[in-house]
Amino acid sequence: MRVGGTALLPAYLARKGDALPRVLHEAGVVAAELHEPQAWIDMHRVGRLYEVAARELAHPNFGLRFGGELPLHAYGLLSYVVLNAPTVRVALENLLRFAQHLAGAWDAAIVHEGERVRIRFGYPTERPEDYRHYVESNGAVLCVMMKALVDSTWTPSEVCFQHSGGDPGRDPSALLEAPVRFDRPTNEIVFASRVLDGAVAGADRTLLPMLEAQANEVVSEPTLSPATTPVDDRLIRDLQEEIVRVLCDGTPQLAHIARTLAMSTRTLQRELQ
């Protein structure tokens, strides 16, 4: 799976005290692996990373809190094809169309039920308890995304998770501003269908075709693991995604792109040659 928003976890833990080295060590993760959001990492270790972090911080709602504070741009190209869609409906369609290829290890669907809509999301695991905080962080990110698409007053009707609630005294409803249900058949966020046709505030419709073209290019490529993807192909793909991601901020600069890809400008130029 992609590192994605987990790239911001080390900085988050560092602000909370000295837990970062212990969390990384116990989860079997090296800090350098989390440097680049578009890099690949084993899902099991990501799940372990979140569970250890929650225990070290003694926070039963760690995943929800961390996910709720993540900036949406942490998901790179996927964020931009969603946030620049003309309507909420198109934004969610883009999320479903591109998420598997741009985020990895993520399966989602939109289920329409009359006046309600369910965004269902899941992961390839038979042990949902091992990924409790990671899944909850993604549920929180989806809620943050919907607020960005609709408006800051938007709230879900309910949020459901497959795993158990863990701590009997735990009540995360206030964090998501909605009832939270555990031990449900699927992970899902439920909300009123009337918001689907609303316009996305701040969307740049002139930029969207370029973003979608880049995303479609990624989708059309075979889905390969890092072990089977040629290094040169991965470099070009990651480079293209990063260039598209920063277009909103002006002309991409070589030094910035190289730093994001964790290499010097000279190394990047040599690899491209």
Side-chain angles (χ1 to χ4, degrees):
M1 64 180 295
R2 301 280 193 177
V3 171
T6 304
L8 300 180
L9 184 57
Y12 180 90
L13 292 174
R15 294 196 301 269
K16 302 296 181 181
D18 60 356
L20 177 58
R22 296 192 301 274
V23 171
L24 292 176
H25 176 74
E26 187 169 342
V29 176
V30 178
E33 293 182 272
L34 305 178
H35 179 75
E36 170 51 45
Q38 293 305 311
W40 293 85
I41 188 170
D42 176 69
M43 182 178 173
H44 174 73
R45 288 191 298 144
V46 171
R48 179 69 175 160
L49 185 64
Y50 280 70
E51 296 305 308
V52 174
R55 189 182 68 239
E56 284 288 335
L57 297 180
H59 203 311
N61 292 319
F62 166 74
L64 291 175
R65 286 193 178 277
F66 176 63
E69 295 181 23
L70 277 177
L72 292 176
H73 67 71
Y75 292 86
L77 181 56
L78 179 61
S79 302
Y80 291 99
V81 296
V82 171
L83 296 177
N84 286 289
T87 66
V88 176
R89 186 187 304 275
V90 174
L92 294 179
E93 289 172 352
N94 279 349
L95 177 68
L96 266 62
R97 184 157 53 125
F98 299 124
Q100 181 65 36
H101 296 269
L102 299 179
W106 200 80
D107 186 28
I110 299 177
V111 180
H112 298 270
E113 295 181 347
E115 297 182 352
R116 298 198 304 179
V117 173
R118 300 176 183 270
I119 303 179
R120 290 181 173 164
F121 59 103
Y123 303 84
T125 176
E126 296 180 355
R127 296 174 57 87
E129 296 298 328
D130 292 347
Y131 302 91
R132 179 163 66 101
H133 289 282
Y134 177 71
V135 170
E136 288 184 15
S137 74
N138 281 268
V141 167
L142 284 172
C143 288
V144 171
M145 181 196 73
M146 285 297 298
K147 284 181 178 292
L149 293 173
V150 184
D151 62 57
S152 60
T153 65
W154 176 90
T155 56
S157 303
E158 65 176 353
V159 180
C160 302
F161 294 113
Q162 290 177 295
H163 53 264
S164 68
D167 185 348
R170 176 183 184 225
D171 183 10
S173 299
L175 291 172
L176 296 180
E177 302 178 274
V180 178
R181 322 290 188 194
F182 296 102
D183 295 307
R184 295 305 170 98
T186 58
N187 305 306
E188 58 186 27
I189 293 175
V190 186
F191 57 93
S193 60
R194 64 177 180 273
V195 307
L196 291 175
D197 294 319
V200 176
D204 187 341
R205 298 185 65 178
T206 62
L207 182 60
L208 184 63
M210 290 186 290
L211 297 169
E212 288 184 327
Q214 176 60 34
N216 278 318
E217 203 172 304
V218 174
V219 168
S220 66
E221 296 174 356
T223 302
L224 300 174
S225 69
T228 58
T229 305
V231 174
D232 290 346
D233 289 353
R234 295 208 308 273
L235 174 63
I236 295 299
R237 181 193 60 207
D238 293 345
L239 180 63
Q240 290 173 330
E241 290 182 11
E242 183 59 22
I243 288 173
V244 171
R245 188 181 72 81
V246 301
L247 278 174
C248 295
D249 300 321
T251 303
Q253 300 298 312
L254 175 64
H256 171 80
I257 298 294
R259 185 166 59 251
T260 304
L261 298 177
M263 61 180 67
S264 68
T265 55
R266 181 174 297 180
T267 299
L268 177 56
Q269 290 173 315
R270 184 174 64 249
E271 292 293 335
L272 288 175
Q273 288 173 353

